[in-house]
Amino acid sequence: MADFSWDVRSPLDRALVAGAYGAQGEAGVSLTEIRNFDLVQVMARRGKAAEMAKAAKTRFGVAAPETPRAVDAADATLIWSGPGQFLVLSKGGKYTMDGLAPVFAGSASLSDQSHARALISVSGEKARAMLAKQSSIDLHPDVFGVGAAAATSMDHTSVTLWRGDDLADGRAVFNLLVFATFAESLWHTILDSAAEYGVTINHSEELA
């Protein structure tokens, strides 16, 4: 019997070409694909939302977001993804399906999304302007501050969007989780939207 092996490849493996793109001069948008992360969706079972929330607080040391927010724990980020559900983003096998199953036994259903999503980090002086072309979310800092999140769409593609910590120079960072099957299409759409501002496409990085 023949042996088969599968190489895990990023959904952006073909599309991502590091370098400059679009208008010349100082780039207004910076794009980075984040790889090698664990992502588990936690969904409360009927009538078990309070029990799920208690289990999450015990395990992560912080309350899971019940509104559109992203909350940093010591070794994970909990991202609201809809009523009664959130995503656990981590690295290094710290929070896998097998590891979280006993924590939420009876209170929540789990779904491994680690290889089903692509994660794109967007920053730069023109990041908001570019994202505004594709999303109806108000990203003004007075409204969409650090930690704000949204389940929305960009170019008719469902995404989970949240604002991470600002860069050292104060520029905002926006994170996009998109289904792997739509990642390449959305990547090209983002590039087209950002071209007028100039884009720096960075080499892929691992989750910090």
Side-chain angles (χ1 to χ4, degrees), residues 183-199:
E184 186 170 339
S185 174
L186 183 61
W187 179 263
H188 289 299
T189 298
I190 289 173
L191 286 179
D192 288 345
S193 297
E196 66 170 301
Y197 310 120
V199 185

Side-chain angles (χ1 to χ4, degrees), residues 6-7 20 33 50 52 59 64 67 69 84 91-92 103 110 120 125 136 176:
W6 300 94
D7 293 328
E33 183 204 8
M52 179 193 73
R59 185 65 185 88
T67 58
R69 299 283 301 169
K91 68 172 184 176
V103 176
L110 308 182
I120 301 169
E125 185 179 350
S136 60
L176 302 171

Side-chain angles (χ1 to χ4, degrees), residues 8-198:
V8 177
R9 298 177 61 185
S10 161
L12 294 176
D13 196 58
R14 296 183 306 173
L16 193 156
V17 179
Y21 181 88
Q24 301 300 303
E26 185 176 356
V29 176
S30 177
L31 299 177
T32 306
E33 183 204 8
I34 308 300
R35 297 185 180 181
N36 299 327
F37 56 84
D38 295 309
L39 186 68
V40 178
Q41 188 160 29
V42 182
M43 299 161 283
R45 295 180 180 174
R46 182 175 299 176
K48 298 290 186 177
E51 186 177 335
M52 179 193 73
K54 182 179 179 180
K57 180 67 179 293
T58 299
R59 185 65 185 88
F60 299 109
V62 296
E66 297 180 352
T67 58
R69 299 283 301 169
V71 179
D72 287 329
D75 45 14
T77 300
L78 312 183
I79 310 155
W80 181 90
S81 59
Q85 57 185 287
F86 63 94
L87 294 158
V88 181
L89 177 67
S90 63
K91 68 172 184 176
K94 182 70 175 181
Y95 296 111
T96 62
M97 280 273 293
D98 290 342
L100 289 176
V103 176
F104 294 103
S107 67
S109 298
L110 308 182
S111 174
D112 189 351
Q113 298 291 307
S114 302
H115 300 298
R117 308 284 184 104
L119 176 55
I120 301 169
S121 177
V122 183
S123 61
E125 185 179 350
K126 296 297 185 179
R128 284 189 183 87
M130 183 277 291
L131 291 170
K133 295 181 180 183
Q134 304 298 329
S135 173
S136 60
I137 298 295
D138 186 352
L139 298 177
H140 190 280
D142 291 342
V143 178
F144 205 84
V146 172
T152 184
S153 64
M154 293 180 61
D155 192 39
H156 308 291
T157 301
S158 295
V159 298
T160 299
L161 165 69
W162 76 98
R163 185 174 164 189
D165 292 332
D166 290 347
L167 298 176
D169 60 8
R171 287 180 294 178
V173 176
F174 299 93
N175 300 296
L176 302 171
L177 273 172
V178 56
F179 285 105
T181 49
F182 298 104
E184 186 170 339
S185 174
L186 183 61
W187 179 263
H188 289 299
T189 298
I190 289 173
L191 286 179
D192 288 345
S193 297
E196 66 170 301
Y197 310 120

